Amino acid sequence: MSFPLLTTTAVVPALGAIATAAVPAARRTAAKWLAFLFSLATLGLAAAVLIRFDPDGARYQLTESHAWIADFGVRYELGADGIGAVMIALTALLIPFIIGAGWNDADPAPGEEEETENKRWRPTQGFFALILAVEAMVIISFAATDVFVFYIFFEAMLIPMYFLIGGFGDRAHAAGEAEGAKQRSYAAVKFLLYNLVGGLIMLAAVIGLFAVTSDQLGEGTFSLQEIARARASGELDIATSTERLLFLGFFFAFAVKAPLWPLHTWLPNAMGESTAPVAVLITAVVDKVGTFAMLRFCLGLFPGASDWATPVVIALALVSIVYGALLAVGQRDIKRLIAYASISHFGFIVLGVFAMTSQGQGGATLYMVFHGISTAALMLVAGFLISRRGSRLIADYGGVQKVAPVLAGTFLVGGLATLSLPGLAPFISEFLVLVGTYSRYPAAGIVATAGIVLAALYVLLLYQRTMTGPVKDEQVRRLPDLRVRELAVVAPLIALLVFLGVFPKPLTEMVDPAVEHTLSDVQKKDPKPQHPTAEQGWFDYKPAAPAEHGGGEHE
Amino acid sequence: MNPVNYVYLAALLFTIGAAGVLLRRNAIVVFMCIELMLNAANLTLVAFSRMHGNLDGQIMAFFVMVVAAAEVVVGLAIIVMLYRSRHSASVDDASLMKL
Amino acid sequence: MESLIGLLVGAPLLGAAVLLCGGRRLDRAGHWLASVLAGASFVLGAVLFFDMLGKDGEHRALHSHLYSWVPVEGFQADVAFQLDQLSMTFVLLITGVGTLIHIYSIGYMEHDERRRRFFGFLNLFLAAMLLLVLADNFLLLYVGWEGVGLASYLLIGFWQHKPSAAAAAKKAFLVNRVGDAGLAIAIFLMFTTFGTFAFAPVLSSATDASEGKLTAIGLMLLLAACGKSAQVPLQSWLGDAMEGPTPVSALIHAATMVTAGVYLITRSGAIFNAAPDAQTAVVVVGAVTLIFGAIVGCAKDDIKKALAGSTMSQIGYMILAAGLGPIGYAFAIMHLVTHGFFKAGLFLGAGSVMHGMNDEVDMRKYGGLRKYMPVTFVTFGLGYLAIIGFPGLSGFFSKDQIIEAAFAKGGTQGWILGTVALIGAAITAYYMTRVMVLTFFGEKRWEPDENGNEPHPHESPSVMTIPMIVLAFGSVFAGGLFKAGDSFVHWLEPVTQHSHGDSPVSAATVTTGTVVALLLGVGAAWLQYGRRPVPRTAPRGSLLTRAARRDLLQDDVNHAAFVTGGSYLTRSLVYVDHKLVDGLVNGTAATFGGLSGRLRRLQNGFARSYAVSMFGGAAVLIAATLLMRAV
């Protein structure tokens, strides 16, 4: 039995959560540093996962398997494929930045300092402990190869997230303190209800899956590998209608989480009302579990049904792309705008997953990573801006670049990454998704391409209205530029966006074999080009040779 | 005598008990009516036991009697406590179980 | 030698990175660093050029594969460069003119506190444009393509504190993005058709594909070219782009950006050659824009906007030539290069005039400036003569060739195109003479502004005039140099597969026609503006003039079609999202809430009512059991 690296990666933040929560009320700063160090340790472990992972090796690596609830065939099974390993790395990477950006978000307001001194209630400690708890659960979800284990952590994530959304909002709310608290709790409840409904339906499907496997295999199992093996050997043959129902049960939960139109409306509320770091946690980390699970569970468990549902899913993804982008254009609130932009981007991810081509799915996986980083950059800078002025409304800003050029510059880079500018990482993933979609569904590819024009519109409108023009008023004039801590949070993210945009090979190498496995699950092959060009060396090309050109007459 | 007649009697007793439970307000009377219903059930058990010639029903009747006795103890205690605190034995006065 | 190609792009890119990340420390030396790096790129380009000249025509192309960029199953994108004669021409133009503009900007932007950033953006612009012309596959070209868009966005909106500049920058980027989407779709099409999007395999096997596919690819490439090169219907950003500092306009119009569309079409020649319908679309776009830009140029009183109209029109010539196929590619590029010289000179001259006139741009408030700014007058005048095609100067040779090639297209099409090109030449002569006369001749028409500051026109410092003089030399001699022994055509031949068309009109006739058109245009302008005093405020003008002042209603059309409709759409969607999608969910919640409120009333606390429901329930159950048994 080798060292349980995946479990350790998840246990460390969990321990960190407990340790952070246990720090005495008065030692707030110690709690922050403790949480930060634990998140760094997790990042180190995640790096070890990436290093230990051999892209050319078996599909699932670093596997762990222990009996858990023997009566129901539940095993504690973990294992990382290329996609899971990359997603674990993304999660571990973003959490330190989230903690760093939220460093002062959960401090008591200046006036409340004495009041909270001797209370047992420790919001700061709680904030960071909850973030670490979410991290632990997300990592387990990405690593689980047992449907039941996945389900438990998929659902348990909701609890800390509920408190993070409902308990910690922006200090100053446009609609006043009381109204702010009301909207916050509305957003938190909405988030919880949506995801619970999705989760319950999934639970039914999970039980259904158990019933089917125990019926056909004699012994129920939730193990992904076991089910795949049984299907391959013909022992397991799920009836078409059952498979479709089970698929829908799983897909519904993931579509809520992802979120896919028309199940998206919880996201703008949740992202709008929570603080910027929590908003990043939602959209860049937690939501990714949904799209990741579509790839691993929907496609892996129910290939036939996935194929059956593809036209509808593609249509929904297209609606998400265009609809999210159009709504982003119409928003008056910076955070809600980014939330709708994310909905548009999730549309791209789902599109890529269900395009069922290596480019589409590889692109979708990269998209998950790059969208996480780019949205984190944009949202965190937006959060810094909002915390300065105490307003989320776009109309309250104007001319910020004049007073805070570095803030404006980083905001622009984040925005450009969001609109998938070539040279920055998201371009690669978006282009791959589009190419992959186009090669199987040309019409869908063209509609989705409209999304890149709309993305430019909402990003540049946001930049134009907040950053350019004359300085809006005295309050804007006094805005300070980015502080060292804030720059330390944003600069590495931007550097990463540039680096991965120029040299994404390390990631594509990880992801590519995993995507091939997924494609073989659903028994799909890439469409072949109609007129494949002969294998040709670069130096063989001689434009001068008239024989190669039909049109050019040489005189 | 035809044992079916005992069943008819039990039904009559049960109906009287049920009507008492539903119509009377005095907690003691309601309680007595509940006892009446229990005993109607006992009578049925015994009657059927006799009709089918096995003793299971009679054994059940003993069980019911024991449970009824226990219930009387608890129930009367509650009624007494209610009376002490509210100076009334009317069940309608004790409508505390709503939200 | 191959390894130097990467440095061509790397030098300005390094400059951009250093200047933009370096902070205030570099404020004092940044502009020199940027200029030196741009110059270094030019020197590198020259070295490679002479190396290339030393080789045989067929073996001149260099290739440099840096690394594998996006390796995904079935999808190979590499960072690899290809330097052939076409790319070489562009490299020299971009770095040469670019360096001159850098030097000029040192003087022009001297008093701007954000000069360091300006130079960083200029370097970024050069790097992106060089990447565009050096890429060996369409995806890398796409990176440069959008990089140019980004750099133009940053530079057009450089004076961000002006809302108009910020809006113009956004507009430029957005309109370009529409074109970019076209290029993206073209790449998808290539990928599904050929399984690759590298130049070599795609272009060499273009004829294998069906004509329908090729036409689709061609049309999408044309859309992309329209966006970048400001061709109808995506031309509207170019006029607004004048919000940027004048050197930026020179850079956009002469060396970078707008030339990218011509490059793309020429580069993809093999595809267009096999798709005649796409070619027809290209020439139509070119011809329409040619006239469109010329008309707009006639009506503008803003010197930069008049020049912008002229750029649109001149690029129209190039697109028209590129659409003619192998008979036109070389001339399109030749005109592009000569245009690069004289248009850069004209813009820098205009900048010099504005520099001396307190940033006044209205030509009706200039007049008689030749006495105050002799160097600017001479260099601008040479650029003027070149652009109208004065015999012997650069523009004459290149434009004359295009007109000839247009006639050589053959058939009715040839006649129409040739005539349009001739008319365009006449209008060009008209509006450029107008610019020249209004600015440098006549009486002085400037007055003190409301603060009582009267402009004191003066010659610009030598850091600004020297680039103008260099460009003036180019405007005069480049054309003749290229024409001598058809050296330019031969140079490009391995790439463009040049062929001579049979013109129904003899070369001499075309030349005569061109000269006649030129004289007509100049004469008309002189009659209107040279002989009579020019009113300081523009007369109302005819319907056409008024429409042309509004850019032939391009913005009104866009506004009506996209802005109004779009904002209505987004607003109604926001409403729908809130009321309908969200409302549906909230409505469900409210229904359950209301229902449970009703149900709660049943819990009235009366023990006897609970007992009734118990009895009722028991009775129903028993009845149901009995009923079931009966059935």
Side-chain angles (χ1 to χ4, degrees):
Chain A
M1 193 74 214
S2 59
F3 181 69
L5 187 57
L6 288 174
T7 305
T8 319
T9 315
V11 164
V12 166
L15 287 178
I18 297 168
T20 311
V23 173
R27 320 266 317 258
R28 271 202 310 276
T29 317
K32 293 173 185 175
W33 279 105
L34 194 66
F36 185 65
L37 289 177
F38 267 102
S39 69
L40 281 186
T42 316
L43 180 57
L45 285 166
V49 170
L50 274 190
I51 293 166
R52 288 268 303 277
F53 188 87
D54 171 20
D56 303 320
R59 175 169 185 182
Y60 293 106
Q61 298 179 23
L62 306 167
T63 49
E64 299 165 29
S65 182
H66 305 279
W68 187 15
I69 312 177
D71 287 350
F72 298 113
V74 177
R75 296 183 67 81
Y76 177 75
E77 272 193 2
L78 301 185
D81 60 354
I83 303 173
V86 167
M87 294 313 294
I88 290 173
L90 169 75
T91 309
L93 174 77
L94 285 179
I95 299 292
F97 291 105
I98 290 173
I99 290 177
W103 203 250
N104 300 325
D105 277 6
D107 286 354
E112 299 169 11
E113 195 81 33
E114 281 78 42
E115 241 177 278
T116 50
E117 202 61 46
N118 44 15
K119 277 192 189 168
R120 297 247 300 282
W121 172 235
R122 290 170 291 185
T124 314
Q125 280 82 340
F127 183 71
F128 293 103
L130 287 172
I131 290 178
L132 287 175
V134 172
E135 181 181 18
M137 293 177 193
V138 171
I139 288 177
I140 289 275
S141 305
F142 283 136
T145 53
D146 186 283
V147 178
F148 198 81
V149 174
F150 171 82
Y151 174 76
I152 287 177
F153 287 97
F154 182 74
E155 285 296 281
M157 233 181 278
L158 300 180
I159 303 163
M161 284 314 300
Y162 171 79
F163 288 112
L164 279 172
I165 297 168
F168 304 90
D170 289 328
R171 197 149 289 151
H173 197 283
E177 198 72 35
E179 177 64 19
K182 211 167 120 197
Q183 290 193 5
R184 201 147 59 227
S185 100
Y186 171 74
V189 169
K190 198 169 177 183
F191 164 82
L192 192 67
L193 282 182
Y194 263 87
N195 285 287
L196 272 182
V197 169
L200 279 179
I201 292 176
M202 183 182 165
L203 178 63
V206 169
I207 294 169
L209 182 69
F210 177 76
V212 170
T213 53
S214 61
D215 198 31
Q216 297 200 5
L217 302 178
E219 197 176 324
T221 179
F222 289 108
S223 164
L224 209 54
Q225 284 150 298
E226 180 63 24
I227 291 173
R229 194 197 55 73
R231 183 183 302 99
S233 67
E235 286 173 62
L236 182 67
D237 184 23
I238 310 178
T240 314
S241 56
T242 319
E243 189 188 355
R244 287 175 183 176
L245 277 176
L246 293 178
F247 168 84
L248 287 179
F250 276 77
F251 185 78
F252 186 80
F254 304 148
V256 169
K257 191 74 120 198
L260 197 63
W261 188 89
L263 303 168
H264 64 276
T265 53
W266 65 269
L267 186 72
N269 285 90
M271 280 177 74
E273 297 305 327
S274 53
T275 62
V278 175
V280 172
L281 193 66
I282 297 171
T283 186
V285 177
V286 172
D287 284 354
K288 295 296 185 309
V289 181
T291 45
F292 167 81
M294 286 183 195
L295 203 53
R296 179 176 273 186
F297 295 107
C298 283
L299 265 51
L301 290 172
F302 317 112
S306 303
D307 202 29
W308 162 76
T310 296
V312 177
V313 177
I314 295 240
L316 288 180
L318 288 178
V319 173
S320 283
I321 291 171
V322 176
Y323 186 89
L326 282 175
L327 273 152
V329 174
Q331 291 304 312
R332 278 173 292 183
D333 173 324
I334 300 177
K335 282 188 184 170
R336 287 180 70 93
L337 189 152
I338 300 176
Y340 277 107
S342 285
I343 290 170
S344 180
H345 287 139
F346 280 114
F348 274 106
I349 298 177
V350 175
L351 188 68
V353 170
F354 279 85
M356 310 269 185
T357 52
S358 8
Q359 298 89 39
Q361 294 188 340
T365 310
L366 294 180
Y367 212 125
M368 291 188 231
V369 179
F370 297 157
H371 171 257
I373 302 173
S374 70
T375 305
L378 183 65
M379 192 64 173
L380 293 179
V381 179
F384 299 149
L385 182 69
I386 290 167
S387 68
R388 280 164 165 68
R389 175 78 154 84
S391 166
R392 289 164 17 202
L393 291 181
I394 294 171
D396 282 344
Y397 296 91
V400 173
Q401 66 86 25
K402 191 95 177 151
V403 290
V406 180
L407 191 153
T410 49
F411 192 70
L412 183 62
V413 177
L416 292 173
T418 304
L419 63 78
S420 300
L421 189 85
L424 298 171
F427 164 70
I428 294 168
S429 51
E430 192 160 303
F431 202 88
L432 281 174
V433 166
L434 288 173
V435 163
T437 309
Y438 187 87
S439 60
R440 204 181 284 280
Y441 307 101
I446 289 174
V447 173
T449 310
I452 71 173
V453 178
L454 290 172
L457 183 60
Y458 61 69
V459 167
L460 295 184
L461 263 181
L462 175 64
Y463 185 80
Q464 184 193 357
R465 287 176 182 165
T466 53
M467 299 296 170
T468 67
V471 177
K472 169 90 177 167
D473 52 20
E474 269 315 300
Q475 250 180 306
V476 173
R477 192 176 298 286
R478 287 200 303 270
L479 290 185
D481 211 334
L482 285 190
R483 299 185 180 86
V484 175
R485 168 181 67 86
E486 294 167 332
L487 200 59
V489 167
V490 178
L493 289 175
I494 288 177
L496 209 59
L497 283 174
V498 174
F499 175 76
L500 289 174
V502 177
F503 193 66
K505 203 171 165 188
L507 275 186
T508 57
E509 274 177 350
M510 293 283 290
V511 168
D512 219 22
V515 166
E516 293 312 307
H517 281 301
T518 312
L519 275 182
S520 69
D521 275 351
V522 289
Q523 296 173 338
K524 286 271 184 184
K525 287 207 167 56
D526 289 336
K528 285 269 166 284
Q530 287 126 327
H531 307 282
T533 53
E535 280 302 314
Q536 197 172 18
W538 294 109
F539 296 94
D540 303 339
Y541 172 51
K542 298 215 178 36
E548 289 179 356
H549 289 274
E553 303 300 320
H554 200 70
E555 291 188 5
Chain B
M1 202 170 100
N2 189 351
V4 178
N5 289 338
Y6 292 104
V7 180
Y8 288 141
L9 175 64
L12 199 65
L13 284 175
F14 189 88
T15 315
I16 293 167
V21 169
L22 295 181
L23 299 176
R24 300 301 296 261
R25 274 175 223 173
N26 190 311
I28 306 278
V29 178
V30 169
F31 208 71
M32 278 160 42
C33 289
I34 291 173
E35 289 300 312
L36 203 57
M37 285 156 69
L38 281 168
N39 282 319
N42 275 348
L43 189 58
T44 330
L45 285 169
V46 176
F48 279 119
S49 171
R50 171 84 189 192
M51 276 159 75
H52 296 302
N54 77 20
L55 291 177
D56 289 0
Q58 301 195 15
I59 295 167
M60 282 313 282
F62 278 110
F63 272 108
V64 173
M65 277 155 135
V66 173
V67 172
E71 187 211 326
V72 166
V73 174
V74 177
L76 275 178
I78 293 174
I79 291 170
V80 169
M81 290 308 291
L82 258 180
Y83 186 80
R84 275 197 193 157
S85 66
R86 308 184 77 90
H87 301 289
S88 148
S90 165
V91 285
D92 284 4
D93 283 350
S95 62
L96 303 172
M97 291 203 291
K98 65 178 174 188
L99 279 167
Chain C
M1 276 298 153
E2 279 86 357
S3 54
L4 291 181
I5 304 177
L7 285 179
L8 273 176
V9 184
L13 196 61
L14 174 78
V18 169
L19 289 180
L20 295 179
C21 303
R24 302 234 166 78
R25 272 153 290 171
L26 293 167
D27 271 355
R28 294 177 60 198
H31 46 283
W32 290 112
L33 177 73
S35 308
V36 165
L37 283 170
S41 196
F42 175 67
V43 171
L44 269 175
V47 168
L48 285 164
F49 173 66
F50 287 113
D51 179 63
M52 194 181 264
L53 279 186
K55 286 187 205 158
D56 183 30
E58 301 282 304
H59 300 104
R60 280 175 173 170
L62 289 178
H63 205 279
S64 149
H65 183 266
L66 281 192
Y67 62 93
S68 170
W69 181 32
V70 190
V72 172
E73 182 69 26
F75 180 98
Q76 289 296 327
D78 295 321
V79 176
F81 299 123
Q82 168 187 306
L83 184 71
D84 59 4
Q85 290 87 335
L86 181 61
S87 304
M88 193 73 237
T89 314
F90 272 87
V91 165
L92 290 178
L93 176 72
I94 295 163
T95 54
V97 176
T99 307
L100 291 175
I101 292 172
H102 271 75
I103 295 168
Y104 176 91
S105 304
I106 294 174
Y108 191 85
M109 299 298 285
E110 192 172 1
H111 304 296
D112 197 298
E113 54 176 357
R114 295 166 71 231
R115 178 163 68 164
R116 169 179 57 86
R117 245 172 285 173
F118 181 78
F119 275 88
F121 295 155
L122 281 188
N123 263 349
L124 182 66
F125 213 146
L126 286 197
M129 194 65 197
L130 286 169
L131 184 65
L132 195 162
V133 299
L134 286 171
D136 93 324
N137 60 69
F138 281 97
L139 194 65
L140 196 61
L141 179 144
Y142 187 80
V143 175
W145 193 263
E146 286 228 359
V148 167
L150 168 69
S152 67
Y153 171 78
L154 294 169
L155 283 168
I156 294 169
F158 184 71
W159 287 319
Q160 287 179 332
H161 52 88
K162 287 200 300 187
S164 57
K170 183 195 67 189
K171 185 175 176 186
F173 195 92
L174 271 181
V175 175
N176 268 298
R177 259 267 152 141
V178 176
D180 296 348
L183 183 53
I185 293 174
I187 297 177
F188 304 157
L189 274 164
M190 286 176 206
F191 181 72
T192 52
T193 312
F194 303 110
T196 176
F197 36 76
F199 289 154
V202 167
L203 297 178
S204 60
S205 53
T207 43
D208 297 350
S210 68
E211 194 179 317
K213 281 267 176 199
L214 291 174
T215 308
I217 296 176
L219 289 177
M220 285 298 134
L221 290 174
L222 175 63
L223 179 65
C226 284
K228 211 53 61 185
S229 293
Q231 299 294 295
V232 177
L234 298 177
Q235 81 291 3
S236 65
W237 63 272
L238 192 71
D240 294 15
M242 293 301 124
E243 289 290 342
T246 311
V248 175
S249 310
L251 198 58
I252 289 180
H253 289 238
T256 61
M257 188 105 181
V258 294
T259 58
V262 184
Y263 172 79
L264 183 69
I265 292 178
T266 311
R267 175 58 79 195
S268 326
I271 293 171
F272 284 97
N273 293 347
D277 291 342
Q279 270 187 326
T280 311
V282 173
V283 289
V284 168
V285 164
V288 169
T289 313
L290 189 169
I291 298 294
F292 186 103
I295 293 175
V296 170
C298 292
K300 293 286 183 185
D301 288 330
D302 178 328
I303 183 169
K304 286 173 74 181
K305 293 205 168 165
L307 289 176
S310 110
T311 302
M312 211 187 277
S313 168
Q314 299 300 316
I315 302 284
Y317 270 109
M318 299 171 208
I319 296 280
L320 169 68
L324 295 174
I327 54 172
Y329 294 132
F331 302 136
I333 302 300
M334 183 165 151
H335 192 53
L336 194 153
V337 176
T338 55
H339 175 258
F341 285 117
F342 53 70
K343 188 49 68 66
L346 288 171
F347 264 112
L348 295 187
S352 172
V353 169
M354 287 162 57
H355 197 68
M357 294 291 291
N358 290 355
D359 287 333
E360 177 61 62
V361 290
D362 188 350
M363 291 188 289
R364 292 184 186 273
K365 296 181 181 151
Y366 292 164
L369 286 175
R370 67 179 186 279
K371 282 170 286 191
Y372 301 93
M373 309 180 169
V375 181
T376 307
F377 168 63
V378 172
T379 54
F380 195 94
L382 288 172
Y384 154 75
L385 291 176
I387 194 174
I388 62 171
F390 192 80
L393 273 68
S394 293
F396 168 73
F397 293 111
S398 51
K399 200 183 288 179
D400 188 52
Q401 301 267 35
I402 291 179
I403 297 171
E404 201 183 318
F407 278 114
K409 172 86 176 170
T412 336
Q413 227 185 36
W415 280 102
I416 295 173
L417 293 175
T419 317
V420 167
L422 267 181
I423 295 172
I427 308 180
T428 306
Y430 173 82
Y431 66 73
M432 282 314 296
T433 311
R434 176 173 173 270
V435 169
M436 195 67 197
V437 169
L438 284 180
T439 307
F440 291 102
F441 294 91
E443 294 304 309
K444 76 161 195 160
R445 293 188 297 275
W446 63 85
E447 280 173 3
D449 60 10
E450 57 267 25
N451 302 329
N453 294 331
E454 195 177 335
H456 296 287
H458 54 84
E459 189 53 86
S460 300
S462 55
V463 71
M464 286 166 72
T465 51
I466 288 171
M468 287 154 59
I469 295 169
V470 174
L471 287 169
F473 269 97
S475 325
V476 174
F477 298 113
L481 203 67
F482 294 161
K483 176 73 174 131
D486 278 341
S487 59
F488 194 79
V489 172
H490 287 309
W491 158 254
L492 280 182
E493 184 142 8
V495 185
T496 60
Q497 315 286 306
H498 187 75
S499 66
H500 274 293
D502 296 318
S503 173
V505 196
S506 74
T509 323
V510 171
T511 309
T512 320
T514 317
V515 172
V516 169
L518 172 120
L519 291 175
L520 279 176
V522 172
W526 179 255
L527 284 179
Q528 196 175 351
Y529 296 100
R531 300 205 333 176
R532 287 179 277 175
V534 179
R536 287 196 76 241
T537 46
R540 191 150 175 275
S542 68
L543 199 63
L544 181 65
T545 315
R546 272 177 285 149
R549 276 192 200 128
R550 304 194 58 157
D551 301 304
L552 294 177
L553 307 179
Q554 62 183 20
D555 285 332
D556 306 74
V557 172
N558 286 348
H559 205 272
F562 300 111
V563 182
T564 318
S567 66
Y568 182 75
L569 179 68
T570 53
R571 253 178 293 148
S572 49
L573 272 182
V574 169
Y575 183 81
V576 164
D577 196 54
H578 188 63
K579 294 287 172 193
L580 203 72
V581 182
D582 220 11
L584 215 61
V585 175
N586 284 347
T588 317
T591 314
F592 275 108
L595 212 60
S596 61
R598 299 266 153 67
L599 281 173
R600 200 177 70 174
R601 302 230 180 101
L602 290 178
Q603 309 281 324
N604 55 10
F606 292 111
R608 290 182 306 141
S609 75
Y610 296 158
V612 169
S613 54
M614 249 170 78
F615 278 110
V620 167
L621 275 178
I622 291 168
T625 321
L626 290 179
L627 213 65
M628 289 303 284
R629 193 171 289 175
V631 176

